[in-house]
Amino acid sequence: MLDTASIPTSPKTRTPHTSTGAIRTLGRNPATAPIVLHPGDSISARRRVLYIILLGALTALGPFTIDLYLPAFPTLEADFDTTAAAIQLTLTGTMIGFALGQLIVGPLSDKVGRRIPLLTVTAIHVVASTAAALAPTLELLSIARVLQGAGAAAGGVVAAAVIRDLFGGKRLVVMLSRMALVSGVAPVLAPLVGSALLLVMPWRGIFVVLAVYGAIMLVAAIVFIPETLPRARRHEAGSTTVWQRYRSVFSDRVFIGVLIIGGMTFSGLFSYLSASSFLFQQSYGFDAQQYGVLFAVNSVGVVIGVQTASRLAARFGPQWVMAFSTASLVITASAIIVTDQLALGIWGVMIPLFLFMTACGFTFPCAQVLALDRHGKAAGTAQSILGATNFGVAGIVSPLVGWLAHDTGITATTMASVMAGCAMVGVLSLWLIVRPRTVARLAP
């Protein structure tokens, strides 16, 4: 298996290091040879596209595992003869499992390499998905969902770490924006796919589909994804132990601030995801397919946000893009509350909701770039902490919607109140902890 962390060269090409740590690829004319600042800079465009597709699909495994069964919530409530809050707890368990799995996989991938943790944990996902499809009780389904979440953890962590192994600076912004496009769109597309699946199969079939998806990703990782973390980099000074890697990351004020922003943005998003099935199907009379179309429409907002943010972040800096996006999250979530209280109907909720999702799309890639660009030696650890915080905090916060609505039922106001509160915490973190004016510009 080739190690793509080394620069490919022809017999007439050699790759000496410059005094700055860059690599100059020498060919027939050394004077005009390009300087390769990062290993991935010399990878062909076709190979980069392959990595984006495969790593993007691995990243999407987590969101699809979490969200694919959302349209089946009312059916699960009826089949298990339980409450909406109990069904929401299966979603919470999945996100907590996903968070804990990342905390294990990330540091492990920095220590032993990327491939072994990726293959092992993805195999666990396949087994857990099969168990969820066969679960006879809600309790056993909940346990299987926790294991599913832990098993899906490797994809997002290792994918981001591989990208950071290969790229840096502004190209890292571009590559991570493609990854953020997948991870941002997947949560909103998954219910659309889930609602389509419910037309042709019972809810248990959704977990069979997830098992097949995981198996395909396992085979693809074995065949196409090489080891990108050389043995020498696993033992560099200051990053040889898990404690050293955690200390280097948590001693960074900017990382801490970005961690809070990412966690609050995901919490706002998942507050919507966990409540929307009940809100739109029970309060507004949507069927499962109409509910899926709603998510497809909102996915357009995420796509717009992610792709626009990648261009603006490379030009102005990700911290300034987040200054715009976090403020937009507060404004749009508050607008949902106002329109709902004024009884402006479904469109009064859907329009600001679309804008909220767009603002989420602006935030995701910028938070990831600021987190990973500063911690190349501990990319797996940094990404695991970022992902674990996102999903762990979201798993804790999102059930607040059900708790606030336990007497009156889920409304747009109760959903948006949690979204607005999360967004406000993100704004405070940006200006009080990250402090955009103190963040250095991205390297080329």
Side-chain angles (χ1 to χ4, degrees), residues 374-399:
R374 302 167 68 88
H375 297 284
K377 291 183 179 180
T381 301
Q383 176 60 29
S384 72
I385 296 170
L386 186 64
T389 300
N390 287 349
F391 287 94
V393 174
I396 295 171
V397 172
S398 58

Side-chain angles (χ1 to χ4, degrees), residues 128-266:
S129 297
T130 305
L134 301 174
T137 66
L138 184 61
E139 291 75 17
L140 291 176
L141 175 62
S142 299
I143 294 172
R145 290 292 288 164
V146 172
L147 293 175
Q148 263 191 305
V157 172
V158 175
V162 167
I163 293 297
R164 184 60 186 89
D165 288 341
L166 299 176
F167 304 98
K170 294 182 179 179
R171 180 159 282 176
L172 177 65
V173 175
V174 175
M175 295 298 290
L176 286 180
S177 72
R178 304 297 186 264
M179 302 299 297
L181 174 61
V182 175
S183 61
V185 171
V188 292
L189 284 184
L192 174 63
V193 177
S195 63
L197 291 175
L198 288 174
L199 291 174
V200 297
M201 62 181 65
W203 64 264
R204 294 182 185 275
I206 290 176
F207 295 111
V208 175
V209 171
L210 285 172
V212 173
Y213 183 1
I216 293 172
M217 288 297 95
L218 180 60
V219 173
I222 292 172
V223 175
F224 295 110
I225 299 180
E227 180 58 68
T228 58
L229 186 66
R231 291 184 181 275
R233 284 188 56 199
R234 303 173 200 173
H235 304 287
E236 289 180 345
S239 60
T240 57
T241 68
V242 172
W243 167 246
Q244 287 175 323
R245 287 190 289 271
Y246 272 115
R247 184 173 61 181
S248 68
V249 170
F250 279 115
S251 62
D252 180 5
R253 167 184 55 81
V254 173
F255 181 87
I256 296 298
V258 168
L259 197 64
I260 296 173
I261 295 170
M264 288 297 100
T265 303
F266 260 82

Side-chain angles (χ1 to χ4, degrees), residues 85-389:
I87 298 300
Q88 283 181 317
L89 286 177
T90 66
L91 178 63
T92 298
T94 310
M95 290 192 286
I96 291 175
F98 193 76
L100 294 176
Q102 290 188 78
L103 290 176
I104 296 171
V105 172
L108 188 62
S109 73
D110 285 334
K111 185 174 182 61
V112 304
R114 310 303 185 198
R115 278 176 58 82
I116 293 176
L118 173 63
L119 301 181
T120 301
V121 182
T122 304
I124 292 175
H125 175 273
V126 176
V127 175
S129 297
T130 305
L134 301 174
T137 66
L138 184 61
E139 291 75 17
L140 291 176
L141 175 62
S142 299
I143 294 172
R145 290 292 288 164
V146 172
L147 293 175
Q148 263 191 305
V157 172
V158 175
V162 167
I163 293 297
R164 184 60 186 89
D165 288 341
L166 299 176
F167 304 98
K170 294 182 179 179
R171 180 159 282 176
L172 177 65
V173 175
V174 175
M175 295 298 290
L176 286 180
S177 72
R178 304 297 186 264
M179 302 299 297
L181 174 61
V182 175
S183 61
V185 171
V188 292
L189 284 184
L192 174 63
V193 177
S195 63
L197 291 175
L198 288 174
L199 291 174
V200 297
M201 62 181 65
W203 64 264
R204 294 182 185 275
I206 290 176
F207 295 111
V208 175
V209 171
L210 285 172
V212 173
Y213 183 1
I216 293 172
M217 288 297 95
L218 180 60
V219 173
I222 292 172
V223 175
F224 295 110
I225 299 180
E227 180 58 68
T228 58
L229 186 66
R231 291 184 181 275
R233 284 188 56 199
R234 303 173 200 173
H235 304 287
E236 289 180 345
S239 60
T240 57
T241 68
V242 172
W243 167 246
Q244 287 175 323
R245 287 190 289 271
Y246 272 115
R247 184 173 61 181
S248 68
V249 170
F250 279 115
S251 62
D252 180 5
R253 167 184 55 81
V254 173
F255 181 87
I256 296 298
V258 168
L259 197 64
I260 296 173
I261 295 170
M264 288 297 100
T265 303
F266 260 82
S267 294
L269 172 64
F270 278 99
S271 296
Y272 156 62
L273 292 177
S274 67
S276 59
S277 180
F278 300 105
L279 173 65
F280 288 103
Q281 293 189 62
Q282 295 179 355
S283 298
Y284 291 107
F286 283 31
D287 59 27
Q289 287 65 50
Q290 291 171 327
Y291 171 73
V293 171
L294 171 69
F295 273 83
V297 172
N298 284 331
S299 71
V300 175
V302 178
V303 171
I304 292 172
V306 168
Q307 294 306 299
T308 305
S310 66
R311 297 176 182 275
L312 295 177
R315 181 175 180 182
F316 299 107
Q319 67 273 25
W320 296 113
V321 176
M322 284 200 298
F324 163 78
S325 66
T326 52
S328 298
L329 289 171
V330 174
I331 294 170
T332 53
S334 300
I336 295 174
I337 298 173
V338 172
T339 56
D340 185 51
Q341 292 300 305
L342 293 176
L344 297 184
I346 184 64
W347 289 106
V349 173
M350 290 180 61
I351 291 174
L353 180 58
F354 176 85
L355 297 175
F356 181 90
M357 300 299 289
T358 303
C360 287
F362 271 92
T363 306
F364 293 145
C366 295
Q368 196 172 31
V369 167
L370 283 180
L372 296 186
D373 190 56
R374 302 167 68 88
H375 297 284
K377 291 183 179 180
T381 301
Q383 176 60 29
S384 72
I385 296 170
L386 186 64
T389 300

